[in-house]
Coordinates of all heavy atoms in Angstrom, one line a residue:
G778 N 0.8 -1.2 0.0 CA 0.0 0.0 0.0 C 0.9 1.3 0.0 O 0.6 2.2 -0.7
F779 N 1.9 1.3 0.8 CA 2.8 2.4 0.8 C 3.5 2.6 -0.5 O 3.7 3.7 -1.0 CB 3.8 2.2 2.0 CG 4.8 3.4 2.1 CD1 4.5 4.5 2.9 CD2 6.0 3.4 1.4 CE1 5.4 5.5 3.1 CE2 6.9 4.4 1.5 CZ 6.6 5.5 2.4
I780 N 4.0 1.5 -1.1 CA 4.7 1.5 -2.3 C 3.8 2.1 -3.4 O 4.2 2.9 -4.2 CB 5.2 0.1 -2.7 CG1 6.2 -0.4 -1.7 CG2 5.7 0.1 -4.1 CD1 6.6 -1.9 -1.8
Q781 N 2.5 1.6 -3.4 CA 1.6 2.1 -4.5 C 1.2 3.6 -4.2 O 1.1 4.4 -5.2 CB 0.4 1.3 -4.5 CG 0.6 -0.2 -5.0 CD -0.6 -1.1 -4.9 OE1 -1.5 -0.8 -4.1 NE2 -0.6 -2.2 -5.6
R782 N 1.1 3.9 -3.0 CA 0.6 5.3 -2.6 C 1.7 6.3 -3.1 O 1.3 7.5 -3.5 CB 0.4 5.4 -1.1 CG -0.2 6.7 -0.7 CD -0.8 6.6 0.7 NE 0.2 6.4 1.7 CZ 0.2 5.2 2.4 NH1 -0.5 4.2 2.1 NH2 1.1 5.1 3.4
H783 N 2.9 6.0 -3.1 CA 4.0 6.9 -3.5 C 4.6 6.5 -4.9 O 5.6 7.1 -5.3 CB 5.1 6.9 -2.4 CG 4.7 7.4 -1.1 ND1 4.6 8.8 -0.9 CD2 4.4 6.8 0.0 CE1 4.2 9.0 0.4 NE2 4.0 7.8 0.9
R784 N 3.8 5.7 -5.6 CA 4.1 5.4 -7.0 C 5.6 4.9 -7.2 O 6.2 5.1 -8.2 CB 3.9 6.6 -7.9 CG 2.5 7.2 -7.8 CD 2.4 8.6 -8.4 NE 2.7 8.5 -9.9 CZ 1.8 8.3 -10.8 NH1 0.6 8.2 -10.5 NH2 2.2 8.3 -12.1
L785 N 6.1 4.2 -6.2 CA 7.5 3.7 -6.3 C 7.7 2.7 -7.3 O 8.7 2.7 -8.1 CB 7.9 3.2 -4.9 CG 8.0 4.2 -3.8 CD1 8.3 3.6 -2.5 CD2 9.0 5.3 -4.1
H786 N 6.7 1.7 -7.4 CA 6.9 0.7 -8.4 C 6.6 1.2 -9.8 O 7.3 0.9 -10.8 CB 5.9 -0.5 -8.1 CG 6.0 -1.6 -9.1 ND1 7.2 -2.2 -9.4 CD2 5.1 -2.1 -10.0 CE1 7.0 -3.1 -10.3 NE2 5.7 -3.1 -10.7
E787 N 5.6 2.1 -9.9 CA 5.2 2.6 -11.2 C 6.3 3.5 -11.8 O 6.6 3.4 -13.0 CB 3.9 3.5 -11.0 CG 3.4 4.1 -12.3 CD 2.1 4.9 -12.1 OE1 1.5 4.7 -11.0 OE2 1.8 5.8 -12.9
E788 N 7.0 4.2 -11.0 CA 8.0 5.1 -11.5 C 9.4 4.4 -11.6 O 10.2 4.8 -12.5 CB 8.1 6.4 -10.6 CG 6.9 7.2 -10.6 CD 6.6 7.9 -12.0 OE1 7.6 8.1 -12.7 OE2 5.4 8.1 -12.3
Y789 N 9.7 3.5 -10.7 CA 11.1 2.9 -10.6 C 11.1 1.4 -10.8 O 12.2 0.9 -10.7 CB 11.7 3.3 -9.2 CG 11.9 4.8 -9.1 CD1 11.1 5.6 -8.4 CD2 13.1 5.3 -9.6 CE1 11.3 6.9 -8.3 CE2 13.4 6.7 -9.4 CZ 12.5 7.5 -8.8 OH 12.7 8.8 -8.7
D790 N 10.0 0.8 -11.1 CA 9.9 -0.7 -11.3 C 10.6 -1.3 -10.1 O 11.4 -2.3 -10.2 CB 10.7 -1.0 -12.6 CG 10.4 -2.5 -13.0 OD1 9.4 -3.0 -12.6 OD2 11.3 -3.1 -13.7
I791 N 10.2 -0.8 -8.9 CA 11.0 -1.2 -7.7 C 10.9 -2.6 -7.2 O 11.8 -3.2 -6.7 CB 10.6 -0.2 -6.5 CG1 11.7 -0.1 -5.6 CG2 9.3 -0.6 -5.8 CD1 11.7 1.1 -4.7
L792 N 9.7 -3.2 -7.5 CA 9.5 -4.6 -7.1 C 10.4 -5.6 -7.9 O 10.7 -6.7 -7.4 CB 8.0 -5.0 -7.2 CG 7.0 -4.1 -6.5 CD1 5.6 -4.7 -6.5 CD2 7.4 -3.9 -5.0
D793 N 10.7 -5.2 -9.1 CA 11.6 -6.0 -9.9 C 13.0 -5.6 -9.8 O 13.9 -6.5 -9.6 CB 11.1 -5.9 -11.4 CG 11.9 -6.9 -12.2 OD1 11.8 -8.1 -12.0 OD2 12.7 -6.4 -13.1
R794 N 13.3 -4.3 -9.8 CA 14.6 -3.8 -9.8 C 15.4 -4.2 -8.4 O 16.6 -4.4 -8.5 CB 14.6 -2.3 -10.0 CG 15.9 -1.6 -10.0 CD 15.7 -0.1 -10.1 NE 16.9 0.7 -9.9 CZ 17.0 2.0 -9.8 NH1 15.8 2.7 -9.9 NH2 18.1 2.6 -9.6
Y795 N 14.6 -4.2 -7.3 CA 15.2 -4.4 -6.0 C 14.9 -5.8 -5.5 O 15.1 -6.0 -4.3 CB 14.8 -3.3 -5.1 CG 15.5 -2.0 -5.4 CD1 14.9 -1.0 -6.2 CD2 16.8 -1.7 -4.9 CE1 15.5 0.2 -6.5 CE2 17.4 -0.5 -5.2 CZ 16.8 0.4 -6.1 OH 17.5 1.6 -6.4
S796 N 14.5 -6.7 -6.3 CA 14.3 -8.1 -5.8 C 15.5 -8.7 -5.3 O 16.6 -8.6 -5.9 CB 13.7 -8.9 -7.0 OG 13.7 -10.3 -6.6
I797 N 15.5 -9.3 -4.1 CA 16.6 -9.9 -3.5 C 17.2 -11.0 -4.4 O 18.5 -11.2 -4.4 CB 16.3 -10.5 -2.1 CG1 17.5 -11.1 -1.4 CG2 15.2 -11.6 -2.2 CD1 18.5 -10.1 -1.0
K798 N 16.4 -11.7 -5.1 CA 17.0 -12.8 -5.9 C 17.7 -12.3 -7.1 O 18.5 -13.0 -7.7 CB 15.8 -13.7 -6.4 CG 15.2 -14.4 -5.2 CD 14.0 -15.3 -5.6 CE 13.4 -16.0 -4.4 NZ 12.3 -16.9 -4.8
K799 N 17.5 -11.0 -7.5 CA 18.2 -10.5 -8.7 C 19.4 -9.7 -8.3 O 20.4 -9.6 -9.0 CB 17.2 -9.6 -9.5 CG 16.2 -10.4 -10.3 CD 15.4 -9.5 -11.2 CE 14.4 -10.4 -12.1 NZ 13.7 -9.6 -13.1
M800 N 19.3 -9.0 -7.1 CA 20.4 -8.1 -6.7 C 21.6 -8.9 -6.1 O 22.7 -8.4 -6.3 CB 19.9 -7.1 -5.6 CG 18.8 -6.2 -6.2 SD 18.4 -4.9 -5.0 CE 19.8 -3.9 -5.2
K801 N 21.3 -10.0 -5.5 CA 22.4 -10.8 -4.8 C 23.3 -9.9 -4.0 O 22.9 -9.1 -3.2 CB 23.1 -11.6 -5.9 CG 22.2 -12.6 -6.6 CD 22.9 -13.5 -7.6 CE 21.9 -14.4 -8.2 NZ 22.6 -15.3 -9.3
N802 N 24.7 -10.0 -4.2 CA 25.6 -9.3 -3.3 C 25.6 -7.8 -3.5 O 26.1 -7.1 -2.7 CB 27.0 -9.8 -3.5 CG 27.2 -11.2 -2.9 OD1 27.1 -11.3 -1.6 ND2 27.5 -12.2 -3.7
S803 N 25.0 -7.3 -4.6 CA 25.1 -5.9 -4.9 C 24.1 -5.0 -4.1 O 24.2 -3.8 -4.1 CB 24.9 -5.6 -6.4 OG 23.5 -6.0 -6.7
F804 N 23.3 -5.7 -3.3 CA 22.3 -4.9 -2.6 C 22.8 -4.2 -1.3 O 22.2 -3.2 -0.8 CB 21.0 -5.7 -2.3 CG 21.1 -6.5 -1.0 CD1 20.4 -6.2 0.1 CD2 21.9 -7.7 -1.0 CE1 20.4 -6.9 1.2 CE2 22.0 -8.4 0.2 CZ 21.2 -8.1 1.3
I805 N 24.0 -4.5 -0.8 CA 24.5 -3.9 0.3 C 25.5 -2.8 -0.1 O 26.4 -3.1 -0.9 CB 25.3 -4.9 1.2 CG1 24.3 -5.9 1.8 CG2 26.0 -4.2 2.4 CD1 24.9 -7.0 2.6
Q806 N 25.3 -1.6 0.4 CA 26.1 -0.5 0.0 C 26.5 0.4 1.2 O 25.9 0.3 2.2 CB 25.3 0.4 -1.0 CG 25.0 -0.3 -2.3 CD 24.2 0.5 -3.2 OE1 23.5 1.5 -2.8 NE2 24.2 0.2 -4.5
P807 N 27.6 1.2 1.1 CA 28.0 2.0 2.2 C 27.1 3.2 2.5 O 26.4 3.7 1.5 CB 29.4 2.5 1.8 CG 29.3 2.5 0.3 CD 28.5 1.3 -0.1
L808 N 27.1 3.7 3.7 CA 26.3 4.9 4.0 C 27.0 6.1 3.5 O 28.2 6.3 3.6 CB 26.1 5.0 5.6 CG 25.4 3.9 6.3 CD1 25.3 4.2 7.8 CD2 24.0 3.7 5.8
C809 N 26.2 7.1 3.0 CA 26.7 8.3 2.6 C 26.5 9.4 3.8 O 25.8 9.1 4.7 CB 26.1 8.9 1.4 SG 24.3 9.3 1.5
S810 N 27.2 10.5 3.7 CA 27.1 11.4 4.8 C 25.7 12.0 5.0 O 25.3 12.2 6.1 CB 28.1 12.6 4.5 OG 27.9 13.2 3.3
K811 N 25.0 12.3 3.9 CA 23.6 12.8 4.1 C 22.7 11.8 4.7 O 21.9 12.2 5.6 CB 23.1 13.1 2.6 CG 21.7 13.7 2.7 CD 21.6 15.0 3.5 CE 20.2 15.5 3.4 NZ 20.0 16.7 4.3
T812 N 22.9 10.5 4.4 CA 22.1 9.5 5.0 C 22.4 9.4 6.5 O 21.5 9.3 7.4 CB 22.4 8.1 4.4 OG1 22.0 8.1 3.1 CG2 21.7 7.0 5.2
Q813 N 23.6 9.6 6.9 CA 24.0 9.6 8.3 C 23.4 10.7 9.1 O 23.0 10.5 10.2 CB 25.5 9.6 8.5 CG 26.2 8.3 8.0 CD 27.7 8.5 7.9 OE1 28.3 9.5 7.7 NE2 28.4 7.4 8.1
E814 N 23.3 11.9 8.5 CA 22.6 13.0 9.1 C 21.1 12.7 9.4 O 20.6 13.0 10.5 CB 22.7 14.2 8.2 CG 24.1 14.8 8.0 CD 24.2 15.9 7.0 OE1 23.1 16.4 6.7 OE2 25.3 16.3 6.6
I815 N 20.5 12.1 8.4 CA 19.0 11.8 8.6 C 18.9 10.8 9.7 O 17.9 10.9 10.5 CB 18.4 11.3 7.2 CG1 18.5 12.4 6.2 CG2 17.0 10.9 7.4 CD1 18.2 12.0 4.8
L816 N 19.7 9.7 9.7 CA 19.6 8.7 10.7 C 19.8 9.3 12.1 O 19.1 8.9 13.1 CB 20.7 7.6 10.5 CG 20.5 6.8 9.2 CD1 21.7 5.8 9.0 CD2 19.2 6.1 9.1
S817 N 20.7 10.3 12.3 CA 20.9 10.9 13.5 C 19.7 11.7 14.0 O 19.3 11.6 15.1 CB 22.1 11.9 13.5 OG 23.3 11.2 13.2
E818 N 19.0 12.3 13.0 CA 17.8 13.0 13.3 C 16.7 12.1 13.8 O 16.0 12.4 14.8 CB 17.2 13.8 12.1 CG 18.1 14.9 11.7 CD 17.5 15.6 10.4 OE1 16.4 16.1 10.5 OE2 18.2 15.7 9.4
I819 N 16.6 10.9 13.2 CA 15.6 9.9 13.6 C 15.9 9.4 15.0 O 15.0 9.2 15.8 CB 15.6 8.7 12.6 CG1 15.0 9.2 11.2 CG2 14.7 7.5 13.1 CD1 15.1 8.2 10.1
L820 N 17.2 9.1 15.3 CA 17.5 8.5 16.6 C 17.3 9.5 17.8 O 17.0 9.0 18.9 CB 19.0 8.1 16.6 CG 19.4 6.9 15.7 CD1 20.9 6.7 15.6 CD2 18.7 5.6 16.3
I821 N 17.4 10.8 17.6 CA 17.3 11.7 18.7 C 15.9 12.3 18.7 O 15.6 13.0 19.7 CB 18.3 12.9 18.6 CG1 18.1 13.7 17.3 CG2 19.8 12.3 18.6 CD1 19.0 14.9 17.3
D822 N 15.0 12.1 17.8 CA 13.7 12.7 17.7 C 12.8 12.2 18.9 O 12.8 11.0 19.2 CB 13.0 12.4 16.4 CG 11.6 13.0 16.4 OD1 11.6 14.2 16.3 OD2 10.7 12.2 16.3
Q823 N 12.1 13.2 19.5 CA 11.3 12.9 20.7 C 9.8 13.2 20.4 O 9.0 13.2 21.3 CB 11.8 13.7 21.9 CG 13.2 13.4 22.4 CD 13.3 11.9 22.9 OE1 12.5 11.4 23.6 NE2 14.4 11.3 22.4
R824 N 9.4 13.4 19.2 CA 8.0 13.7 18.9 C 7.1 12.6 19.2 O 7.5 11.4 19.2 CB 7.9 14.1 17.4 CG 8.6 15.4 17.0 CD 8.5 15.7 15.5 NE 9.1 16.9 15.1 CZ 10.4 17.0 14.7 NH1 11.2 16.0 14.8 NH2 10.9 18.2 14.4

């Protein structure tokens, strides 16, 4: 429902492109600095 609501599959073919059986070892990637900033915001949020 979330995937469809944000048109992720329609725009990016996400269910096929990111299938675990197709991606194999390539699906694990390093964190970038912008991602780390967002994660820090999530961890300290008290809302």
Side-chain angles (χ1 to χ4, degrees):
F779 181 90
I780 293 169
Q781 292 175 341
R782 187 160 66 250
H783 293 282
R784 302 169 62 92
L785 295 175
H786 180 59
E787 183 179 340
E788 296 294 329
Y789 292 95
D790 194 24
I791 206 161
L792 305 187
D793 185 63
R794 180 181 171 191
Y795 288 92
S796 168
I797 184 65
K798 294 181 180 179
K799 290 190 176 182
M800 296 188 73
K801 298 185 178 179
N802 285 296
S803 64
F804 83 108
I805 296 177
Q806 299 178 334
L808 296 181
C809 67
S810 58
K811 179 60 178 175
T812 295
Q813 291 172 330
E814 291 175 14
I815 298 171
L816 297 178
S817 295
E818 291 181 58
I819 293 174
L820 289 171
I821 65 174
D822 180 65
Q823 299 296 317
R824 294 178 180 86

